[in-house]
Amino acid sequence: MLTVHHLGKSQSERIVWLCEELEIPYELKCYARDARTILAPAEYKALHPIGAAPVITDGELVLAESGAVVDYIIARYGQGRLRPGPGDPDFASYLYWFHFANGTLQAAMGRMMILNRLNLPEDNALLAAMRARLDRAFAHVEARCSEADYLAGGALTAADIMTVFSLTTMRYFLPYDLAPYPNVRAYLSRIAARPAYQRAMAKGDPGMELLLS
Ligand SMILES: N[C@@H](CCC(=O)N[C@@H](CS)C(=O)NCC(=O)O)C(=O)O
């Protein structure tokens, strides 16, 4: 049985959402963050050497890292869904946005989250450079959302499932105003309307306000 180990308010919400979109059988185990450190509790850290969410187990397999987990589930249980193949016109866009999610957008947000905690002076050059890089990433998503309903093209794919956490729940850790990005907000309203997204968020983080605008 596929088990999704979900850490509250974390990137593992992607995996719960993926399973709900695919409507596959899975067991959901929820873990609260440590109240003092806000990190994963010891029980979660014991699941996998890297100690970070997401982690899945599937029989003997223990797998971490969002991209690997998403790829594993769609390859093994997706029956061709949520992943355009090499002959599909959206294939290259799919690959690009799938990898942009953690390779650029979430990485830039994580860096800014840490830099903000250092209380650097506003004129710090590194802070300015990293802020500019993050703004460029958001502007890039905004431009994409102005030309297509979903990141790969006309249909929801795993590229969206990889990206939405950074545009929403991650803003609990790095507040980011979406007002300058109307097309990102319209995109998020399309995501919010999806029953699978609603089910996933209700199961994984019941009671959490969804930062969708
Ligand atoms: N690149 C990794 C990042 C994993 C990661 O940093 N997860 C965070 C949750 S958003 C985490 O587990 N934080 C708690 C901790 O490190 O204890 C992935 O996508 O799987």
Side-chain angles (χ1 to χ4, degrees), residues 7 10-11 14 33 39-40 45 51-54 65-66 102 165:
L7 175 67
S10 87
Q11 294 176 63
R14 294 165 167 156
R33 286 174 178 266
L39 296 174
K45 295 215 166 284
E65 196 59 51
S66 300
N102 260 8
F165 168 82

Side-chain angles (χ1 to χ4, degrees), residues 15-188:
I15 315 306
V16 187
W17 180 22
L18 173 64
C19 291
E20 292 294 332
E21 287 287 348
L22 293 174
E23 297 185 309
I24 55 176
Y26 72 103
E27 183 191 2
L28 179 63
K29 283 199 182 164
C30 292
Y31 303 70
R33 286 174 178 266
D34 181 283
R36 191 180 57 82
T37 64
I38 317 296
L39 296 174
E43 193 191 0
Y44 199 96
K45 295 215 166 284
L47 291 169
H48 185 279
I50 207 70
V55 174
I56 58 162
T57 47
D58 194 14
E60 295 296 300
L61 175 74
V62 181
L63 189 63
E65 196 59 51
S66 300
V69 170
V70 169
D71 260 345
Y72 172 84
I73 292 176
I74 53 180
R76 193 155 179 150
Y77 300 110
Q79 296 176 315
R81 291 170 291 163
L82 300 181
R83 180 175 67 168
D88 192 300
D90 292 336
F91 181 57
S93 290
Y94 167 73
L95 290 179
Y96 177 75
W97 289 104
F98 185 98
H99 290 283
F100 178 86
N102 260 8
T104 296
L105 179 61
Q106 180 61 23
M109 294 192 82
R111 270 195 307 268
M112 276 308 295
M113 183 182 79
I114 303 294
L115 285 175
N116 281 350
R117 288 183 192 168
L118 297 177
N119 290 319
L120 297 169
E122 269 304 301
D123 63 353
N124 180 276
L126 183 63
L127 184 63
M130 292 304 118
R131 192 173 279 153
R133 197 178 277 206
L134 178 58
D135 290 348
R136 218 162 36 240
F138 267 84
H140 188 42
V141 179
E142 169 70 8
R144 181 59 178 157
C145 291
S146 75
E147 59 188 24
D149 277 357
Y150 293 97
L151 293 170
L156 183 101
T157 68
D160 302 291
I161 291 174
M162 285 294 291
T163 303
V164 165
F165 168 82
S166 306
L167 304 175
T168 56
T169 309
M170 182 62 188
R171 290 190 289 131
Y172 274 107
F173 303 94
L174 178 71
Y176 199 91
D177 183 13
L178 291 188
Y181 306 108
N183 290 295
V184 170
R185 295 173 71 191
Y187 166 72
L188 290 178

Side-chain angles (χ1 to χ4, degrees), residues 9 168-169 172 197 201 205-213:
K9 271 192 187 161
T168 56
T169 309
Y172 274 107
Y197 182 78
M201 300 312 289
D205 290 275
M208 179 179 82
E209 185 196 347
L210 305 182
L211 304 184
L212 289 157
S213 61

